[in-house]
Coordinates of all heavy atoms in Angstrom, one line a residue:
A27 N 177.1 46.6 154.2 CA 175.7 46.2 154.4 C 174.9 47.3 155.0 O 175.4 48.1 155.8 CB 175.7 45.0 155.4
A28 N 173.6 47.3 154.7 CA 172.7 48.4 155.1 C 172.4 48.1 156.6 O 172.3 47.0 157.0 CB 171.5 48.4 154.3
P29 N 172.3 49.2 157.4 CA 171.9 49.0 158.8 C 170.5 48.4 158.9 O 169.6 48.7 158.1 CB 171.9 50.4 159.4 CG 172.1 51.4 158.2 CD 172.5 50.6 157.0
V30 N 170.3 47.6 159.9 CA 169.0 47.0 160.1 C 168.3 47.6 161.2 O 168.9 47.8 162.3 CB 169.2 45.4 160.3 CG1 167.8 44.8 160.6 CG2 169.9 44.8 159.1
V31 N 167.0 48.0 161.0 CA 166.3 48.7 162.1 C 165.0 47.9 162.4 O 164.5 47.1 161.5 CB 165.9 50.1 161.7 CG1 167.2 51.0 161.6 CG2 165.2 50.2 160.4
L32 N 164.5 48.1 163.6 CA 163.3 47.4 164.0 C 162.1 48.4 163.9 O 162.1 49.4 164.5 CB 163.4 46.9 165.4 CG 162.2 46.2 166.0 CD1 161.9 44.9 165.3 CD2 162.4 45.9 167.5
V33 N 161.1 48.0 163.1 CA 159.9 48.8 163.0 C 158.7 47.9 163.0 O 158.6 46.9 162.3 CB 159.8 49.6 161.6 CG1 158.5 50.4 161.5 CG2 161.0 50.6 161.6
D34 N 157.8 48.1 163.9 CA 156.6 47.2 164.1 C 157.1 45.8 164.3 O 156.5 44.9 163.7 CB 155.6 47.3 163.0 CG 155.0 48.7 162.9 OD1 154.8 49.4 163.9 OD2 154.7 49.2 161.8
R35 N 158.1 45.6 165.1 CA 158.7 44.2 165.4 C 159.2 43.5 164.2 O 159.2 42.3 164.2 CB 157.6 43.4 166.2 CG 157.3 44.0 167.5 CD 156.4 43.2 168.4 NE 155.7 42.1 167.7 CZ 154.6 41.6 168.2 NH1 154.0 42.1 169.3 NH2 154.0 40.6 167.6
I36 N 159.5 44.2 163.1 CA 160.1 43.6 161.9 C 161.5 44.3 161.6 O 161.6 45.5 161.6 CB 159.2 43.9 160.7 CG1 157.8 43.2 160.9 CG2 159.8 43.3 159.4 CD1 156.8 43.6 159.8
F37 N 162.5 43.4 161.5 CA 163.8 43.9 161.2 C 163.9 44.0 159.7 O 163.6 43.0 159.0 CB 164.9 42.9 161.7 CG 165.1 43.0 163.2 CD1 164.5 42.1 164.1 CD2 165.9 44.0 163.7 CE1 164.7 42.2 165.4 CE2 166.1 44.1 165.1 CZ 165.5 43.2 165.9
A38 N 164.4 45.1 159.2 CA 164.7 45.3 157.8 C 165.5 46.6 157.6 O 165.8 47.3 158.6 CB 163.4 45.5 157.0
S39 N 166.0 46.8 156.4 CA 166.9 47.9 156.2 C 166.0 49.2 156.2 O 164.8 49.2 156.1 CB 167.5 47.8 154.8 OG 166.6 47.9 153.8
R40 N 166.7 50.3 156.3 CA 166.0 51.7 156.3 C 165.3 51.8 154.9 O 164.2 52.4 154.9 CB 167.0 52.8 156.5 CG 167.7 52.8 157.8 CD 168.6 54.0 158.0 NE 167.9 55.2 158.0 CZ 167.3 55.8 159.0 NH1 167.3 55.2 160.2 NH2 166.6 56.9 158.9
K41 N 165.9 51.3 153.9 CA 165.3 51.4 152.6 C 164.0 50.6 152.5 O 163.0 51.1 152.0 CB 166.3 51.0 151.5 CG 165.8 51.2 150.1 CD 166.9 50.8 149.1 CE 166.4 51.0 147.6 NZ 167.4 50.7 146.7
A42 N 164.0 49.4 153.0 CA 162.9 48.5 153.0 C 161.7 49.2 153.8 O 160.5 49.1 153.4 CB 163.2 47.2 153.5
H43 N 162.0 49.8 154.9 CA 161.0 50.5 155.7 C 160.7 51.9 155.2 O 159.8 52.5 155.7 CB 161.5 50.6 157.2 CG 161.4 49.4 158.0 ND1 160.3 48.7 158.2 CD2 162.4 48.7 158.7 CE1 160.5 47.6 159.0 NE2 161.8 47.6 159.3
R44 N 161.4 52.3 154.2 CA 161.2 53.6 153.6 C 161.4 54.7 154.6 O 160.7 55.7 154.7 CB 159.8 53.8 152.9 CG 159.7 52.9 151.8 CD 158.4 53.1 151.0 NE 158.3 52.2 149.9 CZ 157.2 52.0 149.2 NH1 156.1 52.6 149.6 NH2 157.3 51.2 148.2
L45 N 162.5 54.6 155.4 CA 162.9 55.5 156.4 C 163.9 56.5 155.9 O 164.7 56.1 155.1 CB 163.4 54.8 157.7 CG 162.5 53.8 158.4 CD1 163.3 53.1 159.5 CD2 161.3 54.5 158.9
T46 N 163.9 57.7 156.4 CA 164.9 58.7 156.0 C 165.5 59.2 157.2 O 165.0 59.1 158.4 CB 164.3 59.9 155.2 OG1 163.3 60.5 156.1 CG2 163.6 59.4 153.9
Y47 N 166.7 59.8 157.1 CA 167.4 60.5 158.2 C 166.7 61.9 158.4 O 166.3 62.5 157.4 CB 168.9 60.6 157.9 CG 169.6 59.3 157.9 CD1 169.8 58.6 156.7 CD2 169.9 58.6 159.1 CE1 170.4 57.4 156.6 CE2 170.6 57.4 159.0 CZ 170.8 56.8 157.8 OH 171.4 55.6 157.8
A48 N 166.7 62.3 159.6 CA 166.1 63.6 159.9 C 166.7 64.7 159.1 O 166.1 65.7 158.6 CB 166.2 63.9 161.4
S49 N 168.0 64.7 158.9 CA 168.7 65.7 158.2 C 168.3 65.8 156.7 O 168.5 66.8 156.1 CB 170.3 65.5 158.3 OG 170.6 64.3 157.7
Q50 N 167.7 64.7 156.2 CA 167.3 64.8 154.8 C 166.1 65.6 154.6 O 165.8 66.0 153.4 CB 167.1 63.3 154.3 CG 168.3 62.5 154.2 CD 168.1 61.1 153.8 OE1 167.2 60.4 154.4 NE2 168.8 60.6 152.8
S51 N 165.3 65.9 155.6 CA 164.1 66.7 155.5 C 164.3 68.1 156.1 O 163.3 68.8 156.3 CB 162.9 66.0 156.1 OG 163.1 65.7 157.4
E52 N 165.5 68.5 156.5 CA 165.7 69.8 157.1 C 165.7 70.9 156.0 O 166.1 70.7 154.9 CB 167.1 69.8 157.8 CG 167.2 69.1 159.0 CD 168.6 69.2 159.6 OE1 169.6 69.4 158.9 OE2 168.7 69.1 160.9
D53 N 165.2 72.1 156.5 CA 165.3 73.2 155.6 C 166.7 73.9 155.8 O 167.5 73.4 156.6 CB 164.2 74.2 155.8 CG 164.2 74.8 157.2 OD1 165.1 74.4 158.0 OD2 163.3 75.7 157.5
E54 N 166.9 74.9 155.0 CA 168.2 75.6 155.0 C 168.6 76.1 156.3 O 169.7 76.0 156.8 CB 168.2 76.7 153.9 CG 169.5 77.3 153.7 CD 169.5 78.4 152.6 OE1 168.4 78.8 152.2 OE2 170.6 78.7 152.1
L55 N 167.6 76.7 157.0 CA 167.9 77.3 158.3 C 168.3 76.2 159.4 O 169.2 76.4 160.1 CB 166.7 78.2 158.8 CG 166.9 78.9 160.1 CD1 168.1 79.8 160.1 CD2 165.6 79.6 160.5
S56 N 167.5 75.1 159.3 CA 167.8 74.0 160.3 C 169.2 73.5 160.0 O 169.9 73.1 161.0 CB 166.8 72.9 160.1 OG 165.5 73.4 160.5
R57 N 169.6 73.4 158.8 CA 170.9 72.8 158.5 C 172.0 73.7 159.0 O 173.0 73.3 159.6 CB 171.1 72.7 157.0 CG 170.3 71.5 156.4 CD 170.5 71.5 154.9 NE 169.4 70.7 154.3 CZ 169.6 69.4 153.9 NH1 170.7 68.8 154.1 NH2 168.6 68.8 153.4
V58 N 171.9 75.1 158.8 CA 172.9 75.9 159.3 C 172.9 76.0 160.8 O 174.0 76.1 161.4 CB 172.8 77.3 158.6 CG1 171.7 78.2 159.1 CG2 174.1 78.1 158.7
R59 N 171.8 75.9 161.4 CA 171.8 75.9 162.9 C 172.4 74.7 163.4 O 173.1 74.7 164.4 CB 170.3 76.0 163.4 CG 169.7 77.4 163.3 CD 168.3 77.4 163.8 NE 167.8 78.8 163.8 CZ 166.6 79.1 164.0 NH1 165.7 78.2 164.1 NH2 166.2 80.4 164.0
R60 N 172.2 73.5 162.8 CA 172.9 72.3 163.2 C 174.4 72.4 163.0 O 175.2 72.0 163.9 CB 172.4 71.1 162.3 CG 172.9 69.7 162.8 CD 172.2 68.6 162.2 NE 171.8 68.7 160.8 CZ 172.6 68.4 159.8 NH1 173.8 67.9 159.9 NH2 172.1 68.5 158.5
K61 N 174.8 73.1 161.9 CA 176.3 73.3 161.7 C 176.8 74.2 162.9 O 177.9 73.9 163.4 CB 176.5 74.0 160.4 CG 177.9 74.2 160.0 CD 178.1 74.8 158.7 CE 179.6 75.0 158.3 NZ 179.8 75.4 156.9
V62 N 176.1 75.2 163.3 CA 176.5 76.1 164.4 C 176.7 75.3 165.6 O 177.7 75.4 166.3 CB 175.5 77.3 164.6 CG1 175.8 78.0 165.9 CG2 175.6 78.3 163.5
R63 N 175.7 74.4 165.9 CA 175.8 73.6 167.2 C 177.0 72.7 167.1 O 177.8 72.5 168.1 CB 174.6 72.8 167.3 CG 173.4 73.6 167.8 CD 172.2 72.7 168.2 NE 171.7 71.8 167.2 CZ 170.8 72.1 166.3 NH1 170.3 73.3 166.2 NH2 170.5 71.1 165.4
K64 N 177.3 72.1 165.9 CA 178.4 71.2 165.8 C 179.7 71.9 166.0 O 180.6 71.4 166.7 CB 178.4 70.5 164.4 CG 179.5 69.6 164.1 CD 179.5 69.0 162.7 CE 180.7 68.1 162.5 NZ 180.7 67.5 161.1
L65 N 179.9 73.1 165.3 CA 181.1 73.8 165.5 C 181.3 74.3 166.9 O 182.4 74.3 167.4 CB 181.1 75.1 164.6 CG 181.3 74.7 163.1 CD1 180.9 76.0 162.2 CD2 182.7 74.3 162.8
H66 N 180.2 74.6 167.6 CA 180.3 75.0 169.0 C 180.8 73.9 169.9 O 181.7 74.0 170.7 CB 179.0 75.5 169.5 CG 179.1 76.2 170.8 ND1 179.0 75.5 172.0 CD2 179.3 77.5 171.2 CE1 179.1 76.3 173.0 NE2 179.3 77.5 172.6
R67 N 180.3 72.7 169.6 CA 180.7 71.5 170.3 C 182.2 71.2 170.0 O 183.0 70.8 170.9 CB 179.9 70.2 169.9 CG 178.6 70.1 170.6 CD 177.9 68.8 170.4 NE 178.0 68.2 169.1 CZ 177.1 68.3 168.2 NH1 176.0 69.1 168.4 NH2 177.3 67.8 167.0
Q68 N 182.6 71.4 168.8 CA 184.0 71.1 168.4 C 184.9 72.1 169.2 O 186.0 71.7 169.6 CB 184.2 71.3 166.9 CG 183.6 70.1 166.2 CD 183.8 70.3 164.7 OE1 184.0 71.4 164.2 NE2 183.5 69.2 163.9
L69 N 184.5 73.4 169.3 CA 185.3 74.4 170.0 C 185.4 74.1 171.5 O 186.5 74.3 172.1 CB 184.8 75.8 169.7 CG 185.2 76.4 168.4 CD1 184.5 77.6 168.1 CD2 186.7 76.6 168.3
E70 N 184.3 73.7 172.0 CA 184.3 73.5 173.5 C 184.9 72.1 173.8 O 185.4 72.0 175.0 CB 182.9 73.6 174.0 CG 182.3 74.9 173.9 CD 183.1 76.0 174.6 OE1 183.4 75.8 175.8 OE2 183.3 77.0 174.0
G71 N 184.9 71.2 172.9 CA 185.4 69.9 173.2 C 184.4 69.1 173.9 O 183.8 69.6 174.9
D72 N 184.0 67.9 173.5 CA 183.2 67.0 174.2 C 183.6 65.6 174.0 O 184.7 65.4 173.5 CB 181.7 67.3 173.8 CG 181.4 66.9 172.4 OD1 182.2 66.3 171.7 OD2 180.2 67.0 171.9
T73 N 182.8 64.7 174.2 CA 183.2 63.3 174.1 C 183.6 62.9 172.7 O 184.3 62.0 172.5 CB 182.1 62.3 174.6 OG1 180.9 62.6 173.9 CG2 181.9 62.5 176.1
R74 N 183.0 63.6 171.7 CA 183.3 63.2 170.3 C 184.5 64.0 169.7 O 185.1 63.5 168.8 CB 182.1 63.5 169.4 CG 181.0 62.5 169.5 CD 179.9 62.9 168.6 NE 178.9 63.6 169.3 CZ 177.8 64.1 168.8 NH1 177.6 64.1 167.6 NH2 176.9 64.7 169.6
Y75 N 184.7 65.2 170.2 CA 185.7 66.1 169.6 C 186.7 66.5 170.7 O 186.3 66.9 171.8 CB 185.1 67.3 169.1 CG 184.0 67.0 168.1 CD1 182.7 67.2 168.4 CD2 184.3 66.6 166.8 CE1 181.7 67.0 167.5 CE2 183.3 66.4 165.8 CZ 182.0 66.5 166.2 OH 181.0 66.3 165.3
A76 N 188.0 66.4 170.3 CA 189.0 67.0 171.2 C 189.0 68.5 171.0 O 188.8 69.0 169.9 CB 190.4 66.4 170.9
R77 N 189.3 69.3 172.0 CA 189.3 70.7 171.9 C 190.4 71.2 171.0 O 191.6 70.8 171.3 CB 189.3 71.4 173.2 CG 189.1 72.8 173.2 CD 188.9 73.3 174.6 NE 188.6 74.8 174.6 CZ 189.0 75.6 175.5 NH1 189.6 75.2 176.6 NH2 188.7 76.9 175.3
P78 N 190.2 71.9 169.9 CA 191.3 72.3 169.0 C 192.2 73.3 169.7 O 191.7 74.1 170.5 CB 190.6 72.8 167.8 CG 189.2 73.2 168.2 CD 188.9 72.3 169.4
R79 N 193.4 73.3 169.3 CA 194.4 74.3 169.8 C 195.0 75.1 168.7 O 195.1 74.6 167.5 CB 195.5 73.5 170.5 CG 195.0 72.6 171.6 CD 194.8 73.4 172.9 NE 194.5 72.5 174.0 CZ 193.5 72.7 174.8 NH1 192.7 73.7 174.7 NH2 193.3 71.8 175.8
G80 N 195.6 76.2 169.0 CA 196.4 77.0 168.0 C 195.6 77.4 166.8 O 194.5 77.9 166.8
R81 N 196.2 77.2 165.7 CA 195.7 77.6 164.4 C 194.4 76.9 164.1 O 193.4 77.6 163.5 CB 196.7 77.4 163.3 CG 196.2 77.6 161.9 CD 196.3 79.1 161.6 NE 195.9 79.3 160.2 CZ 195.2 80.4 159.8 NH1 194.9 81.3 160.7 NH2 194.8 80.6 158.6
K82 N 194.2 75.7 164.4 CA 193.0 74.9 164.2 C 191.8 75.6 164.9 O 190.7 75.6 164.4 CB 193.1 73.5 164.6 CG 194.0 72.7 163.6 CD 194.0 71.2 164.0 CE 194.9 70.4 163.1 NZ 194.9 69.0 163.4
R83 N 192.1 76.0 166.2 CA 191.1 76.6 167.0 C 190.6 77.9 166.3 O 189.4 78.2 166.2 CB 191.5 76.9 168.4 CG 190.5 77.5 169.3 CD 190.9 77.4 170.7 NE 189.9 78.0 171.6 CZ 188.8 77.4 172.0 NH1 188.5 76.2 171.6 NH2 187.9 78.1 172.7
Y84 N 191.6 78.7 165.8 CA 191.3 80.0 165.2 C 190.4 79.8 164.0 O 189.4 80.4 163.8 CB 192.6 80.7 164.8 CG 192.3 82.0 164.0 CD1 192.0 83.1 164.6 CD2 192.5 81.9 162.6 CE1 191.7 84.3 163.9 CE2 192.2 83.1 161.9 CZ 191.9 84.3 162.5 OH 191.6 85.4 161.8
V85 N 190.7 78.8 163.2 CA 190.0 78.4 161.9 C 188.6 78.0 162.3 O 187.6 78.5 161.7 CB 190.7 77.3 161.1 CG1 189.8 76.8 160.0 CG2 192.0 77.9 160.6
K86 N 188.4 77.2 163.3 CA 187.1 76.7 163.8 C 186.3 77.9 164.3 O 185.1 78.0 164.1 CB 187.2 75.7 164.9 CG 187.6 74.3 164.4 CD 186.5 73.7 163.5 CE 187.0 72.4 163.0 NZ 186.1 71.8 162.0
M87 N 186.9 78.9 165.0 CA 186.2 80.0 165.5 C 185.7 80.9 164.3 O 184.6 81.4 164.3 CB 187.1 80.9 166.4 CG 187.3 80.2 167.7 SD 188.5 81.1 168.8 CE 187.5 82.5 169.2
Q88 N 186.5 81.0 163.3 CA 186.1 81.8 162.1 C 184.9 81.1 161.4 O 184.0 81.7 160.9 CB 187.3 82.0 161.1 CG 188.4 82.8 161.7 CD 188.0 84.1 162.2 OE1 187.3 84.9 161.6 NE2 188.4 84.4 163.5
E89 N 185.0 79.7 161.3 CA 183.9 79.0 160.7 C 182.6 79.2 161.5 O 181.5 79.3 160.9 CB 184.2 77.5 160.6 CG 185.3 77.1 159.6 CD 185.6 75.6 159.7 OE1 184.8 74.8 160.1 OE2 186.7 75.3 159.2
L90 N 182.7 79.2 162.8 CA 181.6 79.3 163.7 C 181.0 80.7 163.5 O 179.7 80.9 163.4 CB 181.9 79.1 165.2 CG 180.8 79.3 166.2 CD1 179.7 78.4 166.0 CD2 181.4 79.2 167.6
K91 N 181.8 81.8 163.5 CA 181.3 83.1 163.2 C 180.6 83.2 161.9 O 179.5 83.8 161.8 CB 182.4 84.1 163.3 CG 183.0 84.3 164.7 CD 184.2 85.3 164.7 CE 184.8 85.4 166.0 NZ 186.0 86.3 166.0
Q92 N 181.1 82.6 160.9 CA 180.5 82.7 159.5 C 179.2 81.9 159.5 O 178.2 82.4 159.0 CB 181.4 82.1 158.5 CG 180.9 82.2 157.1 CD 180.6 83.6 156.6 OE1 181.5 84.5 156.7 NE2 179.4 83.8 156.1
A93 N 179.1 80.8 160.2 CA 177.9 80.0 160.2 C 176.8 80.8 161.0 O 175.6 80.7 160.6 CB 178.2 78.6 160.9
K94 N 177.2 81.5 162.1 CA 176.2 82.3 162.8 C 175.7 83.4 161.9 O 174.5 83.7 161.9 CB 176.8 82.8 164.1 CG 177.0 81.8 165.2 CD 177.6 82.5 166.4 CE 177.7 81.5 167.5 NZ 178.2 82.1 168.8
R95 N 176.6 84.0 161.1 CA 176.1 85.1 160.2 C 175.2 84.5 159.2 O 174.2 85.1 158.9 CB 177.3 85.8 159.6 CG 178.1 86.7 160.5 CD 179.1 87.6 159.7 NE 180.2 86.8 159.1 CZ 181.3 86.5 159.7 NH1 181.6 87.0 160.9 NH2 182.3 85.8 159.0
D96 N 175.5 83.4 158.6 CA 174.7 82.7 157.6 C 173.3 82.4 158.2 O 172.3 82.7 157.6 CB 175.3 81.4 157.2 CG 176.6 81.6 156.3 OD1 176.8 82.8 155.9 OD2 177.3 80.7 156.1
A97 N 173.3 81.9 159.5 CA 172.0 81.6 160.1 C 171.1 82.9 160.3 O 169.9 82.8 160.0 CB 172.2 80.9 161.4
R98 N 171.8 83.9 160.7 CA 171.0 85.2 160.9 C 170.5 85.7 159.6 O 169.3 86.1 159.5 CB 171.9 86.3 161.5 CG 172.1 86.2 163.0 CD 172.7 87.4 163.6 NE 174.0 87.7 163.1 CZ 175.1 87.2 163.7 NH1 175.0 86.4 164.8 NH2 176.3 87.5 163.2
E99 N 171.3 85.6 158.5 CA 170.8 86.1 157.2 C 169.7 85.3 156.7 O 168.7 85.8 156.2 CB 172.0 86.1 156.2 CG 171.6 86.7 154.9 CD 171.1 88.1 154.9 OE1 171.5 88.9 155.8 OE2 170.2 88.4 154.1
I100 N 169.8 84.0 156.8 CA 168.7 83.1 156.3 C 167.4 83.4 157.1 O 166.3 83.4 156.5 CB 169.1 81.6 156.4 CG1 170.2 81.3 155.4 CG2 167.9 80.7 156.2 CD1 170.9 80.0 155.7
H101 N 167.6 83.5 158.4 CA 166.4 83.8 159.3 C 165.8 85.2 158.8 O 164.5 85.3 158.7 CB 166.8 83.9 160.7 CG 165.7 84.0 161.7 ND1 165.5 85.1 162.4 CD2 164.7 83.1 162.0 CE1 164.4 84.9 163.2 NE2 163.9 83.8 162.9
R102 N 166.6 86.2 158.6 CA 166.0 87.5 158.1 C 165.3 87.3 156.8 O 164.3 87.9 156.6 CB 167.2 88.5 158.0 CG 167.7 89.0 159.3 CD 168.7 90.1 159.1 NE 169.4 90.4 160.4 CZ 170.7 90.4 160.6 NH1 171.5 90.1 159.6 NH2 171.2 90.6 161.7
E103 N 165.9 86.6 155.9 CA 165.2 86.3 154.6 C 163.9 85.7 154.8 O 162.9 86.0 154.1 CB 166.1 85.5 153.7 CG 167.3 86.2 153.2 CD 168.3 85.2 152.4 OE1 167.9 84.1 152.2 OE2 169.4 85.7 152.1
Q104 N 163.8 84.7 155.7 CA 162.5 84.0 155.9 C 161.5 85.0 156.5 O 160.3 84.9 156.1 CB 162.7 82.8 156.8 CG 163.5 81.7 156.1 CD 163.6 80.4 157.0 OE1 163.4 80.5 158.2 NE2 164.1 79.3 156.4
L105 N 162.0 85.8 157.4 CA 161.1 86.8 158.0 C 160.6 87.8 157.0 O 159.4 88.1 157.0 CB 161.7 87.5 159.2 CG 162.0 86.7 160.4 CD1 162.8 87.5 161.5 CD2 160.7 86.2 161.0
R106 N 161.5 88.3 156.1 CA 161.1 89.2 155.1 C 160.0 88.5 154.2 O 159.1 89.2 153.7 CB 162.3 89.6 154.2 CG 163.1 90.6 154.9 CD 164.2 91.1 153.9 NE 165.4 91.6 154.7 CZ 166.5 91.0 154.8 NH1 166.8 89.9 154.1 NH2 167.5 91.5 155.6
A107 N 160.2 87.3 153.8 CA 159.3 86.6 153.0 C 157.9 86.5 153.7 O 156.9 86.6 153.0 CB 159.8 85.2 152.6
M108 N 157.9 86.2 155.0 CA 156.7 86.1 155.7 C 155.9 87.4 155.7 O 154.7 87.5 155.5 CB 156.9 85.6 157.1 CG 157.3 84.1 157.2 SD 157.9 83.5 158.8 CE 156.7 84.2 159.9
V109 N 156.7 88.5 156.0 CA 156.1 89.8 156.0 C 155.5 90.2 154.7 O 154.4 90.7 154.5 CB 157.1 90.9 156.5 CG1 156.6 92.3 156.4 CG2 157.4 90.6 158.0
G110 N 156.3 89.8 153.6 CA 155.8 90.1 152.3 C 154.5 89.4 152.0 O 153.6 89.9 151.3
D111 N 154.4 88.1 152.4 CA 153.2 87.4 152.2 C 152.0 88.0 153.0 O 150.9 88.0 152.5 CB 153.4 85.9 152.7 CG 154.3 85.1 151.8 OD1 154.6 85.6 150.6 OD2 154.8 84.1 152.2
I112 N 152.2 88.5 154.1 CA 151.2 89.1 154.9 C 150.7 90.4 154.3 O 149.5 90.7 154.3 CB 151.7 89.4 156.4 CG1 151.9 88.1 157.1 CG2 150.7 90.2 157.2 CD1 152.6 88.2 158.4
E113 N 151.6 91.2 153.8 CA 151.3 92.5 153.2 C 150.5 92.4 151.9 O 149.8 93.3 151.5 CB 152.5 93.3 152.9 CG 153.2 93.8 154.2 CD 154.5 94.5 154.0 OE1 155.0 94.5 152.9 OE2 155.0 95.1 155.0
K114 N 150.6 91.2 151.2 CA 149.9 91.0 149.9 C 148.4 90.8 150.1 O 147.8 90.5 150.9 CB 150.5 89.9 149.2 CG 151.8 90.2 148.7 CD 152.4 89.0 147.9 CE 153.8 89.3 147.4 NZ 154.4 88.2 146.7

């Protein structure tokens, strides 16, 4: 069953209200930054995630490093595009 939400004191599904999830309108940089935050929470351990140990921790650390590199590269590409637009 679809989740029911209250909008303007009317209960209906997200589809009926034409609501979307925030992640559906994120750009590429926002998605990778969200991934970095999630991996960081997984490594540190919080109420949702148990702190990984051993090989799993190593793999998560590698994923986090790669996600950070991806975020930096996407950010640089966006800056280059902005500078290119200004120079024109």
Side-chain angles (χ1 to χ4, degrees):
V30 177
V31 293
L32 177 66
V33 175
D34 295 330
R35 298 184 345 203
I36 299 172
F37 285 99
S39 68
R40 294 182 67 82
K41 185 175 181 179
H43 282 303
R44 295 186 179 166
L45 299 175
T46 61
Y47 293 97
S49 62
Q50 292 175 312
S51 59
E52 287 181 332
D53 63 358
E54 189 178 15
L55 182 58
S56 296
R57 287 175 198 263
V58 75
R59 284 181 173 165
R60 185 167 40 89
K61 182 177 182 174
V62 166
R63 287 191 303 271
K64 180 181 177 183
L65 287 167
H66 191 272
R67 282 194 314 268
Q68 287 176 346
L69 279 170
E70 294 302 313
D72 67 4
T73 56
R74 284 183 262 174
Y75 305 104
R77 191 168 181 211
R79 303 275 187 231
R81 175 82 179 143
K82 287 183 181 181
R83 182 168 179 79
Y84 175 79
V85 170
K86 286 292 178 190
M87 289 176 68
Q88 297 306 311
E89 288 177 23
L90 177 61
K91 288 177 186 178
Q92 183 61 49
K94 285 181 177 181
R95 285 191 295 266
D96 292 346
R98 279 193 299 272
E99 184 56 34
I100 293 167
H101 187 247
R102 286 185 191 126
E103 289 172 9
Q104 289 181 351
L105 289 175
R106 283 187 207 111
M108 289 172 44
V109 169
D111 290 342
I112 293 170
E113 291 176 352
K114 291 181 180 178

